[in-house]
Amino acid sequence: MENNHDIDKKFNDASQSAEKPATFPGFDKVWVKVEERLDKKEEKKKVIPIWFPYGIAASLIIGLGAFYFINTKEVVDISKPQVAQNTVSPKVNSKVQVIDSTVKSNIEEEIQSQKVIQKPEVLAYETIIPKAEISPIYHNELPSQSPNNIKENVVYMEPDHDGVLDKDDKAQSIEEVVLVGLRPVKKKSYTSSATSITSTEIVNNKRSKKSKENITSSLSIALNYIKGQINDGYISKTSNIRSEFKQNDNISQALIGKITGLQIVPNPGIPGSSQQIVIRGSSTVNSGNQPLIVIDGLVANQNVLTKLNPQQIKSVDVLKDASASALYGSRASNGVIVVTTKKLSRKERKAIKKLQKVQDSINLSKQIQQNNTEEYDAFVENPFELTKNQSVSTFSIDVDKAAYSNIRRMINNGEIVNKNAVRIEEMINYFKYNYPQPKNDQPFSINTEYNYSPWNPKHKLLKIGLQGKNIPMDKLPSSNFVFLIDVSGSMDAANKLPLLKSSFKVLLDQLRPKDKVGIVVYAGSAGMVLPPTSAKEKNKIIEALDQLQAGGSTAGGEGIELAYKLAQENFIKGGNNRVIIATDGDFNVGASSTGDLQTLIEEKRKSGVFLTCLGFGMGNFKDNHMETLANKGNGNYAYIDNMQEANKFLGKEFAGSMYAIAKDVKIQIEFNPKYVKSYRLIGYENRKLKNEDFTNDKIDAGELGSGHTVTALYEVIPTDVKSEFLPKETDLKYTKNTNDENFNDELATVKFRYKKPDGDTSSEIIQVVKNSNESISSASDDFKFASSVAWFGLVLRNSDLIKNKNLTDIEKLSKKGKGNDDEGYRAEFVRLLETYKTIQK
Amino acid sequence: MEKELLLECQRNDRNAQRKVYEKMAGKLHSVCKRYLKNDEDIEEVLADTFYKIFTKLNQLQNHDIFEAWARKIAVNECLQKLRSMKALEISLEDDLVESTGSPTDSISFEKDILKLLNFLPEGCRAIFNLFAIEGYPHKEIATMLSISEGTSKSQLNFARKKLQELLVNHNI
């Protein structure tokens, strides 16, 4: 104890002596702050009496003018925003009756409200906007983004009180005038629409004869105005509480047990929040399930809500289901809590605004962090190889296109493109090129072109293009598809599960009666939703799809096991057996590392079942997982960022995506040192094979689908050129430097190996590429376009191996190579370039 | 503090207020500094404190105790700030937060020792301050922070133990 006393005393003494210095670094700064605030306080006292009478006068004039305006107008112009505030309409009632019996007071109010409707004094009112360009600001106009623009300059006119006005500071910028008719009615907030649209209420006796119908219609007009589209069934469940909050209650505590379905999680483990409010039944238990909170019309943060003095709260409404998102958009997918406060003092309002600002900045930084959870495997560009040392280069084909749609999504969203998301071969292969169909029995035709490189006129490019055989739809073998769908919590976003469902419907449209579809889903565990069903019963399949909902963790490994099991049980010999996995790639239960997944999928590959990976979503996208699965699992991989992409991959290119005509397609190329001093393969970094693997049939390689094209580009440094990119030569003592005179005109020899889809042994095709010295102007459109895509990819990767990174040059080249662009994908690429240019600025 | 000066302050005389500020700012600053780590927070709280002092001065009946009253306002403002930062959720499991300030680079012994406070978690630091320096009894501390008396005591012991360790570690 003595010791303790010592410490106390020590610190006490220390603090005594520390208090002596009269000044400190921020001394003057603090005084300025204090002075400012004291000045402000005085100003307020003085200013109020000055503007007050003017404000009253101005509002009166505007109010009367507006009143006149309404009277002269017979028909309500529905193109003008009308704010409807009424009690429950009959249409709503049937649904509202679902209200939980626990909220007794609520129901009582509902009954009262019905009575109100039956009286002739129907509620309706008009909103007038003096300045046409300023529309009234509603809750869903993102006030959180620009809180300064929100002015609550609502003027209430209550004739009963001889036009006594109550309003905000800036009377001159009135944006909304609400007229109160002859009979003010106490404000009630029964329905979602009522509270959210306005905080005022008017009875207009003039319109009293018009029936309930009128109310319903004006209500929906208001809703439509907010939503921008017509949408029925917006109101489902509303709970309203207006209990007397106890003095020391925190608002969120006060809500405990008062509203069914509202859960207060005491310690959710999320930094920065001590409590979490969750509306049950709308979303998952895990991530991002906080409801939207609206305080007096402004979107607020939950922390702001908890700071609110409960005694200041007039009412709290909780909206769930469709009503919430109908009014507040997708942000409200977890429900909405609408809080109406009693009149807040200016100081309190300011405090809320300030708090909200702080919270917004915190949220912003959190969001930025979240955006960084996308995962891409890093890879290094292929270097230039000296033909003298290594004349042979081997790689596996890659028909995937995911990288391009993913990059397109990033650029269109104005995001920074992750270098490792740029796989140039997938960008080039996104586009179709005009190669001739194969002759004879070969599954593909081979097309080569050799011309000058656009980014370095000293270098040349060798383009190798494969064109897969087009198999007509009716000749395609029957299919056994298993949809493996990720329904974990991470899929719960508009651009994930809903897009996924629509995408699968596109695919279903392509199926024939002889095809079968089974559905396996996985979240915390995996389960079969639909046993293999003939595509004849499309409705049954669509129904099963529509019932899917997202929630829980992601046991991807288990899902893959089950899907392959189902596919194997229903294996069609000589048919097309394929698992189609749709996910954001975020596996977090069981096999979850890329290594684990690779082992799993390599095992599954042996079953003869093919794989298609469809990537969805962003922010948490795990590209590395998807790429691994597709590469190692006899598969292909597409990133579906929108319906257009779904249509392309699953609709138009359905056959190519879903029917392999050759598997394990490998390309080996041997360059002639006579013409080629050095070369490098552009892209295909993760598809490179060892030279000895070319003839090893056990080594997996890429699949070629019906009608697919695959294009690869080699950048070549010819022998007679001096280039700064040339690797250093080491003099070789034993290798002959002279060339065999026999192959004088040959640039390279390309060998292809492939297996039939159900075969185990490979066939080989050999093609010789002649050296040529054509000028760049004779290059084909395809050559120009493919090289411009590669160029853009190199710029996105910030490659060390090119010098000219001028985006305008790329744009020019791609425009020249646009050629016949029926489907507009090349034009889209040009647009993407333009967008990227503006981002770069 | 002269009564005249305080009366002038009450009448909102800016010069008088400035004089009072000059006299008190240093002291109240060091009070805030014992509770808060961040300079910005300290300045904000200090401004709040003075604003309150000048606006509520008319409620102070006995001007003799002005200094103690001002100090109490400062302490309360600090606690409020900590509360708003959610820093007062005291838990014994809290590891000691490493502060950025290094206790060896300062000028005087007295300052050194106070810097050690930065190594304590906010909650237990506040309790130590309230008990050892401000001299509040546990009972009052418990009500001020809405914790139990037992928590207050155990936190105080925890603070003392840590400070002892720190003193030894830094050879003070």
Side-chain angles (χ1 to χ4, degrees):
Chain A
M1 268 324 270
E2 209 178 13
N3 214 354
N4 287 341
H5 220 82
D6 266 5
I7 290 180
D8 291 5
K9 199 169 175 320
K10 248 183 199 171
F11 278 86
N12 207 336
D13 291 349
S15 54
Q16 299 280 328
S17 45
E19 279 180 20
K20 276 167 199 159
T23 175
F24 52 91
F27 186 83
D28 287 317
K29 209 163 108 195
V30 174
W31 171 249
V32 171
K33 261 193 213 168
V34 175
E35 209 172 14
E36 241 172 46
R37 285 171 64 177
L38 287 168
D39 286 347
K40 230 185 238 167
K41 204 189 161 217
E42 276 169 40
E43 252 171 51
K44 269 184 209 162
K45 278 184 196 158
K46 286 176 200 159
V47 165
I48 292 169
I50 297 171
W51 61 258
F52 202 61
Y54 291 106
I56 290 173
S59 319
L60 256 178
I61 290 162
I62 292 168
L64 286 172
F67 201 59
Y68 172 79
F69 179 66
I70 289 169
N71 277 340
T72 53
K73 233 182 166 185
E74 270 301 296
V75 185
V76 182
D77 181 0
I78 50 163
S79 69
K80 276 199 177 148
Q82 298 181 40
V83 179
Q85 163 77 36
N86 70 346
T87 51
V88 182
S89 68
K91 182 183 170 194
V92 171
N93 268 332
S94 61
K95 290 182 183 172
V96 170
Q97 273 156 10
V98 195
I99 289 175
D100 312 75
S101 58
T102 44
V103 196
K104 277 187 185 168
S105 60
N106 200 9
I107 289 175
E108 278 159 22
E109 284 176 347
E110 299 285 348
I111 295 161
Q112 276 179 5
S113 74
Q114 276 177 311
K115 287 176 191 158
V116 172
I117 285 177
Q118 273 134 31
K119 285 180 195 167
E121 296 93 2
V122 176
L123 315 176
Y125 41 140
E126 284 276 355
T127 305
I128 283 145
I129 306 147
K131 290 182 200 163
E133 71 276 14
I134 304 173
S135 56
I137 290 154
Y138 297 103
H139 317 318
N140 64 338
E141 298 204 0
L142 285 175
S144 56
Q145 284 180 349
S146 51
N148 296 335
N149 295 339
I150 311 296
K151 289 169 195 131
E152 293 169 69
N153 294 326
V154 177
V155 181
Y156 303 87
M157 285 183 61
E158 293 170 34
D160 280 6
H161 300 99
D162 297 327
V164 174
L165 301 181
D166 169 22
K167 52 183 181 48
D168 219 67
D169 306 329
K170 295 168 191 165
Q172 67 273 21
S173 61
I174 289 165
E175 290 171 6
E176 184 178 335
V177 177
V178 182
L179 284 184
V180 179
L182 299 179
R183 191 180 286 227
V185 162
K186 249 190 177 175
K187 192 204 160 189
K188 289 194 174 156
S189 39
Y190 295 105
T191 69
S192 54
S193 46
T195 5
S196 55
I197 293 167
T198 174
S199 51
T200 61
E201 174 162 321
I202 298 115
V203 175
N204 189 341
N205 253 2
K206 295 226 162 185
R207 303 201 183 280
S208 62
K209 277 169 206 152
K210 297 194 180 169
S211 64
K212 302 164 199 166
E213 211 183 313
N214 201 0
I215 300 168
T216 328
S217 69
S218 64
L219 176 68
S220 55
I221 289 166
L223 280 166
N224 290 340
Y225 176 73
I226 289 169
K227 266 228 71 175
Q229 65 184 68
I230 291 167
N231 194 351
D232 273 346
Y234 35 80
I235 294 159
S236 57
K237 260 192 193 176
T238 306
S239 309
N240 172 291
I241 84 162
R242 256 197 267 185
S243 49
E244 308 306 313
F245 294 109
K246 283 184 211 122
Q247 188 135 29
N248 290 325
D249 264 355
N250 170 308
I251 165 76
S252 53
Q253 281 161 352
L255 289 173
I256 295 177
K258 299 242 166 66
I259 293 172
T260 14
L262 190 77
Q263 293 175 327
I264 313 289
V265 185
N267 187 8
I270 292 171
S273 67
S274 57
Q275 283 172 331
Q276 193 183 8
I277 303 177
V278 176
I279 297 179
R280 202 174 55 212
S282 51
S283 189
T284 63
V285 204
N286 272 333
S287 57
N289 50 357
Q290 295 212 353
L292 185 74
I293 292 167
V294 176
I295 299 175
D296 283 345
L298 298 183
V299 175
N301 186 280
Q302 194 188 313
N303 287 9
V304 179
L305 179 64
T306 50
K307 299 259 162 54
L308 216 58
N309 178 357
Q311 296 202 304
Q312 298 281 12
I313 291 172
K314 200 158 151 198
S315 72
V316 176
D317 289 75
V318 177
L319 317 182
K320 298 193 272 187
D321 313 333
S323 65
S325 33
L327 287 163
Y328 294 95
S330 63
R331 287 178 306 161
S333 55
N334 295 316
V336 184
I337 297 177
V338 180
V339 178
T340 317
T341 59
K342 294 171 187 164
K343 223 181 269 168
L344 287 180
S345 71
R346 193 175 291 121
K347 201 176 151 198
E348 283 164 317
R349 269 207 302 269
K350 238 183 208 163
I352 286 182
K353 264 186 194 163
K354 194 176 158 198
L355 204 57
Q356 184 61 34
K357 243 185 208 166
V358 174
Q359 283 299 337
D360 284 346
S361 64
I362 291 170
N363 288 350
L364 199 67
S365 64
K366 268 189 200 159
Q367 245 170 18
I368 289 164
Q369 282 169 1
Q370 277 171 359
N371 285 344
N372 290 341
T373 59
E374 297 188 358
E375 282 176 21
Y376 301 96
D377 275 343
F379 57 90
V380 181
E381 280 185 295
N382 295 325
F384 278 103
E385 298 275 358
L386 277 175
T387 319
K388 203 167 65 180
N389 299 350
Q390 180 59 272
S391 63
V392 179
S393 159
T394 311
F395 64 96
S396 142
I397 65 156
D398 182 357
V399 294
D400 297 347
K401 295 149 187 191
Y404 180 75
S405 35
N406 197 15
I407 291 163
R408 178 178 63 195
R409 184 257 302 174
M410 289 184 214
I411 293 177
N412 286 337
N413 288 351
E415 290 166 26
I416 296 160
V417 178
N418 186 322
K419 184 180 161 187
N420 292 319
V422 184
R423 288 187 293 271
I424 295 171
E425 74 277 14
E426 295 188 14
M427 292 176 70
I428 298 173
N429 285 332
Y430 184 86
F431 303 94
K432 256 187 134 44
Y433 302 100
N434 299 312
Y435 303 140
Q437 274 291 308
K439 288 167 200 156
N440 313 327
D441 269 352
Q442 286 182 356
F444 51 83
S445 71
I446 299 156
N447 308 277
T448 58
E449 193 170 351
Y450 187 53
N451 212 314
Y452 288 94
S453 144
W455 54 83
N456 189 341
K458 282 193 269 181
H459 292 186
K460 286 190 146 191
L461 287 182
L462 173 63
K463 180 168 75 92
I464 303 168
L466 301 187
Q467 169 69 54
K469 196 177 200 161
N470 261 330
I471 302 178
M473 279 301 274
D474 52 316
K475 293 230 173 99
L476 288 171
S478 43
S479 304
N480 157 34
F481 287 129
V482 177
F483 295 174
L484 174 56
I485 300 174
D486 180 351
V487 290
S488 64
S490 61
M491 291 296 284
D492 186 26
N495 60 359
K496 295 187 184 175
L497 200 55
L499 178 61
L500 184 155
K501 287 179 187 175
S502 321
S503 307
F504 273 117
K505 285 174 197 163
V506 172
L507 174 68
L508 280 177
D509 278 342
Q510 305 287 332
L511 297 186
R512 305 147 301 170
K514 62 176 176 178
D515 299 327
K516 273 189 298 182
V517 171
I519 301 179
V520 173
V521 295
Y522 66 92
S525 60
M528 187 174 71
V529 173
L530 184 77
T533 306
S534 159
K536 260 189 285 184
E537 301 173 81
K538 250 175 210 162
N539 289 339
K540 209 168 146 192
I541 304 172
I542 289 173
E543 204 179 303
L545 271 175
D546 280 340
Q547 277 169 1
L548 299 180
Q549 279 185 340
S553 51
T554 321
E558 204 184 321
I560 291 170
E561 294 271 3
L562 186 64
Y564 270 90
K565 196 171 151 243
L566 195 66
Q568 272 168 276
E569 279 168 5
N570 297 281
F571 198 87
I572 302 175
K573 242 189 146 190
N576 178 33
N577 301 283
R578 186 174 289 266
V579 168
I580 304 169
I581 177 170
T583 172
D584 58 1
D586 187 13
F587 304 110
N588 53 23
V589 174
S592 58
S593 71
T594 29
D596 290 344
L597 286 171
Q598 182 171 338
T599 324
L600 176 72
I601 209 72
E602 277 176 349
E603 176 64 33
K604 295 295 164 201
R605 187 178 75 210
K606 292 176 192 150
S607 64
V609 176
F610 287 91
L611 179 73
T612 294
C613 294
L614 303 177
F616 286 89
M618 59 179 144
N620 191 29
F621 187 60
K622 307 291 187 248
D623 176 77
N624 51 352
H625 289 157
M626 310 289 284
E627 180 73 5
T628 304
L629 287 176
N631 278 5
K632 305 295 174 192
N634 269 353
N636 52 22
Y637 163 33
Y639 178 80
I640 310 285
D641 53 345
N642 53 34
M643 230 19 236
Q644 195 193 333
E645 186 59 26
N647 261 327
K648 180 177 190 280
F649 188 77
L650 300 171
K652 284 183 217 156
E653 295 171 8
F654 166 79
S657 314
M658 295 298 152
Y659 294 90
I661 51 164
K663 68 176 181 182
D664 294 347
V665 182
K666 302 168 190 171
I667 300 179
Q668 186 165 64
I669 179 160
E670 186 188 356
F671 287 100
N672 185 351
K674 184 171 177 172
Y675 296 109
V676 178
K677 193 157 193 184
S678 180
Y679 63 88
R680 88 178 193 93
L681 177 58
I682 297 170
Y684 292 89
E685 279 86 358
N686 54 13
R687 298 283 177 152
K688 265 181 104 172
L689 297 175
K690 290 180 200 149
N691 290 333
E692 59 268 31
D693 287 344
F694 183 66
T695 45
N696 183 348
D697 286 347
K698 280 190 185 136
I699 298 297
D700 179 56
E703 276 65 51
L704 191 69
S706 160
H708 259 162
T709 59
V710 179
T711 303
L713 289 174
Y714 273 96
E715 187 172 356
V716 169
I717 306 179
T719 34
D720 49 353
V721 160
K722 274 187 187 162
S723 169
E724 60 195 293
F725 296 109
L726 211 56
K728 279 215 176 89
E729 284 184 70
T730 40
D731 279 332
L732 298 173
K733 201 170 158 191
Y734 304 111
T735 314
K736 273 196 289 177
N737 258 340
T738 48
N739 300 305
D740 206 323
E741 296 294 315
N742 288 339
F743 305 112
N744 249 341
D745 57 344
E746 287 183 15
L747 177 79
T749 304
V750 193
K751 294 182 197 162
F752 302 87
R753 273 178 90 89
Y754 66 93
K755 291 177 199 158
K756 292 226 164 95
D758 50 354
D760 284 328
T761 49
S762 295
S763 320
E764 198 169 306
I765 308 174
I766 297 175
Q767 177 127 344
V768 172
V769 186
K770 301 265 189 241
N771 188 28
S772 73
N773 260 322
E774 285 179 47
S775 71
I776 184 84
S777 53
S778 64
S780 68
D781 286 345
D782 282 350
F783 183 90
K784 285 175 191 155
F785 191 77
S787 56
S788 76
V789 176
W791 194 354
F792 184 45
L794 290 167
V795 172
L796 285 175
R797 281 194 60 79
N798 197 16
S799 169
D800 294 332
L801 299 172
I802 61 166
K803 266 194 144 176
N804 182 356
K805 291 181 184 171
N806 189 336
L807 291 166
T808 317
D809 288 351
I810 304 178
E811 203 185 319
K812 271 185 208 153
L813 182 70
S814 64
K815 277 181 185 158
K816 269 188 218 160
K818 222 158 109 181
N820 184 13
D821 183 29
D822 281 346
E823 284 163 348
Y825 293 117
R826 294 188 181 191
E828 186 194 57
F829 175 76
V830 177
R831 280 199 301 279
L832 198 67
L833 266 171
E834 281 165 4
T835 315
Y836 186 72
K837 250 161 69 178
T838 55
I839 295 174
Q840 285 314 96
K841 277 174 201 162
Chain B
M1 193 77 47
E2 309 96 65
K3 286 187 179 176
E4 277 300 306
L5 195 59
L6 291 179
L7 282 173
E8 275 167 38
C9 285
Q10 245 172 13
R11 271 181 252 119
N12 229 341
D13 179 330
R14 204 44 45 83
N15 287 334
Q17 283 170 343
R18 169 75 190 185
K19 273 180 198 157
V20 170
Y21 176 78
E22 277 168 8
K23 281 191 181 167
M24 296 299 296
K27 285 182 186 176
L28 297 186
H29 183 261
S30 59
V31 170
C32 297
K33 219 176 157 183
R34 284 203 299 272
Y35 288 86
L36 302 162
K37 291 174 186 172
N38 186 332
D39 279 347
E40 267 174 42
D41 291 343
I42 293 172
E43 279 167 21
E44 195 189 318
V45 167
L46 203 56
D48 288 346
T49 306
F50 276 102
Y51 180 73
K52 219 168 224 173
I53 288 174
F54 293 134
T55 49
K56 308 273 173 174
L57 193 58
N58 49 1
Q59 291 171 15
L60 179 68
Q61 268 139 37
N62 183 358
H63 284 178
D64 293 335
I65 57 160
F66 172 77
E67 215 173 302
W69 177 76
R71 179 191 274 270
K72 189 160 183 176
I73 289 179
V75 170
N76 283 339
E77 289 292 319
C78 287
L79 293 179
Q80 207 178 329
K81 179 77 196 170
L82 287 172
R83 227 172 275 134
S84 74
M85 285 156 50
K86 306 249 174 196
L88 280 180
E89 279 144 24
I90 299 155
S91 89
L92 279 171
E93 288 83 7
D94 265 357
D95 286 332
L96 280 189
V97 186
E98 285 295 322
S99 97
T100 44
S102 134
T104 47
D105 61 3
S106 67
I107 320 121
S108 70
F109 172 76
E110 285 81 10
K111 281 206 162 176
D112 243 354
I113 186 171
L114 287 177
K115 277 202 175 176
L116 292 180
L117 289 173
N118 279 346
F119 287 83
L120 293 177
E122 276 91 349
C124 111
R125 171 183 180 177
I127 290 173
F128 180 80
N129 272 328
L130 290 169
F131 186 90
I133 298 166
E134 256 72 57
Y136 287 100
H138 280 302
K139 202 173 170 184
E140 251 179 77
I141 297 174
T143 29
M144 281 164 92
L145 301 179
S146 39
I147 53 174
S148 75
E149 254 185 271
T151 314
S152 173
K153 279 179 188 164
S154 67
Q155 286 289 321
L156 178 69
N157 275 330
F158 176 76
R160 281 174 174 158
K161 221 169 84 194
K162 284 293 166 191
L163 288 171
Q164 184 70 49
E165 268 172 38
L166 289 163
L167 282 173
V168 173
N169 287 349
H170 290 91
N171 295 322
I172 300 170

